[in-house]
Amino acid sequence: MRPIKNGGIIVSKNILEAPFVKEMVEVTTNLYHHGWDERNGGNVTYLLDEKAVTEYLDPTKVVRNIPMDFDGSAIKGKYFIVTGSGKYFKNVKNDPACNLGVLRVADDGQSVDLLWGYTDGGKPTSELPAHLMSHIARLSVDPENRIVMHCHATHLLAMTFSHDLDPRAFTRTLWQMCTECLVVFPEGVSVIPWLIPGSNEIGKATAEKMKETRLVMWPQHGVYGVGRDMDEVYGLIETAEKAAQVYTYVQAQGGIKQTLTDENLKKLADAFGVTPRAGYLNL
Ligand code: 13P
Ligand code: ZN
């Protein structure tokens, strides 16, 4: 591609070729094909290095400023690629520029500067409070965290109707449904109360739990996951969802006759060098 002179800065690369755009296209397409993001369900935010962004975009060229009604000043100046509100994940691969946006948290912490995307005049996901608050919370315990992902994973969602919502009980069932689970999420999963989606209240509740676990259940709605890269967060959700699917089959087959014992789980943790969340095993 020929270099483009853009506001005095030579921007020589096509953003549709940017690895972070490709990763967003790939993950939203996969989430759609899993059936976890019907219609406009789900949202993804990906924290980007300034250097990666400025290879493709002129940071001085703000397309428009979009207000938010919560305080994002802890991450002012940070860049994210974010799925659009009301956008269908099935459509992202055919039109990334309409369905995704690259934005920077403005200096006032109360708005974001759009640098690219949402070409039809769209906005970032309505779940931006939960995402940005979760980024802030997660970065405080893991400075390498980059991604927050929300989806309507079918069997996990179903479990929030039929299973005890106590996080210890919920975690233990998932750990028992597949030997890999304890190794993948030894810290367990959190569960928050049912709250209005898109609200600051659900954002605060989610972010608080993100300091302890990388998976947070939203009862009767879906799941939130975080991770350092797409594989980590996608793999986390996929593993928990698989366990929930097995649980669904087990219930349909007449219920549990035998399962992983707490001794099995302890041996597993020792073999793989992970520490199960304190107090979650009966030993
Ligand atoms: P958005 O389309 O605003 O991202 O909302 C989808 C969703 O899943 C809300 O929880
Ligand atoms: Zn949702």
Side-chain angles (χ1 to χ4, degrees):
M1 166 144 189
R2 292 225 325 259
I4 305 162
K5 195 146 194 234
N6 196 350
I9 295 177
I10 303 291
V11 178
S12 59
K13 294 188 178 174
N14 176 359
I15 190 163
L16 295 177
E17 299 297 323
F20 55 82
V21 172
K22 290 184 171 180
E23 285 179 90
M24 289 292 278
V25 168
E26 188 185 8
V27 83
T28 50
T29 303
N30 282 338
L31 285 160
Y32 172 68
H33 285 303
H34 262 306
W36 302 341
D37 289 300
E38 72 291 342
R39 199 174 183 275
N40 65 309
N43 18 79
V44 184
T45 54
Y46 183 179
L47 173 61
L48 305 172
D49 289 338
E50 181 166 34
K51 199 169 151 289
V53 174
T54 54
E55 279 185 46
Y56 301 92
L57 296 171
D58 178 348
T60 67
K61 284 259 157 76
V62 176
V63 179
R64 58 198 152 92
N65 179 266
I66 304 169
M68 349 183 256
D69 66 355
F70 66 96
D71 183 19
S73 43
I75 45 170
K76 70 179 178 192
K78 299 250 188 242
Y79 294 83
F80 294 89
I81 185 164
V82 177
T83 53
S85 185
K87 302 301 187 201
Y88 293 25
F89 279 14
K90 82 178 173 62
N91 297 336
V92 177
K93 75 172 186 316
N94 289 333
D95 194 353
C98 182
N99 294 288
L100 303 173
V102 173
L103 49 85
R104 180 180 55 216
V105 179
D107 282 345
D108 60 8
Q110 309 292 319
S111 63
V112 292
D113 292 328
L114 181 67
L115 300 177
W116 173 83
Y118 310 142
T119 51
D120 63 350
K123 291 189 299 191
T125 173
S126 58
E127 303 290 3
L128 201 61
H131 279 256
L132 295 190
M133 289 180 199
S134 292
H135 277 285
I136 294 167
R138 197 65 207 168
L139 287 167
S140 74
V141 295
D142 178 9
E144 299 294 311
N145 195 79
R146 291 289 173 271
I147 295 158
V148 176
M149 186 179 291
H150 163 59
C151 69
H152 302 167
T154 314
H155 299 85
L156 281 170
L157 171 51
M159 267 182 81
T160 68
F161 292 83
S162 62
H163 196 279
D164 184 344
L165 290 180
D166 170 67
R168 181 179 186 275
F170 204 92
T171 296
R172 285 176 54 81
T173 296
L174 294 178
W175 281 353
Q176 288 165 349
M177 289 302 115
C178 182
T179 296
E180 300 292 304
C181 284
L182 174 73
V183 179
V184 176
F185 49 92
E187 78 274 33
V189 303
S190 296
V191 187
I192 62 165
W194 184 90
L195 292 165
I196 299 286
S199 63
N200 285 351
E201 194 186 8
I202 205 167
K204 280 183 201 151
T206 308
E208 203 45 48
K209 298 294 182 193
M210 285 298 184
K211 292 179 192 159
E212 298 166 6
T213 66
R214 291 164 296 153
L215 286 167
V216 178
M217 292 305 307
W218 281 14
Q220 294 82 53
H221 185 147
V223 61
Y224 261 71
V226 294
R228 296 176 172 190
D229 56 36
M230 286 295 178
D231 277 353
E232 182 188 354
V233 63
Y234 196 85
L236 259 177
I237 292 177
E238 208 174 22
T239 305
E241 167 61 11
K242 175 65 179 279
Q245 185 175 10
V246 173
Y247 177 72
T248 307
Y249 291 150
V250 169
Q251 294 299 96
Q253 288 175 4
I256 295 169
K257 300 273 189 295
Q258 57 278 322
T259 188
L260 286 171
T261 64
D262 287 64
E263 286 73 23
N264 293 151
L265 291 168
K266 173 77 172 75
K267 278 189 191 163
L268 187 67
D270 291 345
F272 284 84
V274 298
T275 308
R277 190 183 179 110
Y280 274 27
L281 293 182
N282 295 322
L283 290 172

